[in-house]
Amino acid sequence: MAPQPRHPRRARIAFSDSAAKQLENITSEEQIHALDRALVVLSVDPDVGEPIPGDSTAPQLRQYTDEVENVRVLYFVTALRTVVVVAYIEV
């Protein structure tokens, strides 16, 4: 039997306290859907966002913007590249 192809492991998404509070204020179904799509993109490819210039200490803060869905997420990726921690959400 041939081995099954392995799919890359998705990163887990975690939220800072401030991002979690922002989530509580999102009530529109459209905004929830738009944010969900952005988070799926980040879980599949955490490097998709642009580094935010500034402090060079780790972890590097990144920004992902989806112009179609009007979503902006500030986040950083953990050293093991398994968790994306969302610091700020704008929908």
Side-chain angles (χ1 to χ4, degrees):
M1 175 182 254
Q4 296 293 324
R6 294 200 65 207
H7 298 284
R9 191 170 132 191
R10 286 187 176 191
R12 290 184 9 198
I13 303 289
F15 298 96
S16 67
D17 290 342
S18 62
K21 286 180 184 176
Q22 290 173 312
L23 283 174
E24 292 173 3
N25 295 327
I26 298 175
T27 58
S28 160
E29 193 71 31
E30 292 83 20
Q31 290 178 325
I32 292 169
H33 177 71
L35 178 59
D36 188 50
R37 287 176 44 100
L39 296 176
V40 167
V41 168
L42 292 175
S43 73
V44 171
D45 183 7
D47 293 323
V48 71
E50 302 172 359
I52 295 178
D55 193 6
S56 61
T57 60
Q60 172 70 52
L61 193 59
R62 302 180 71 84
Q63 169 180 267
Y64 172 71
T65 304
D66 183 330
E67 301 294 335
V68 174
E69 298 285 351
N70 293 322
V71 175
R72 180 174 169 237
V73 178
L74 300 183
Y75 67 100
F76 64 89
V77 182
T78 62
L80 296 177
R81 307 192 55 73
T82 59
V83 178
V84 174
V85 178
V86 175
Y88 174 79
I89 301 166
E90 185 176 285
V91 181

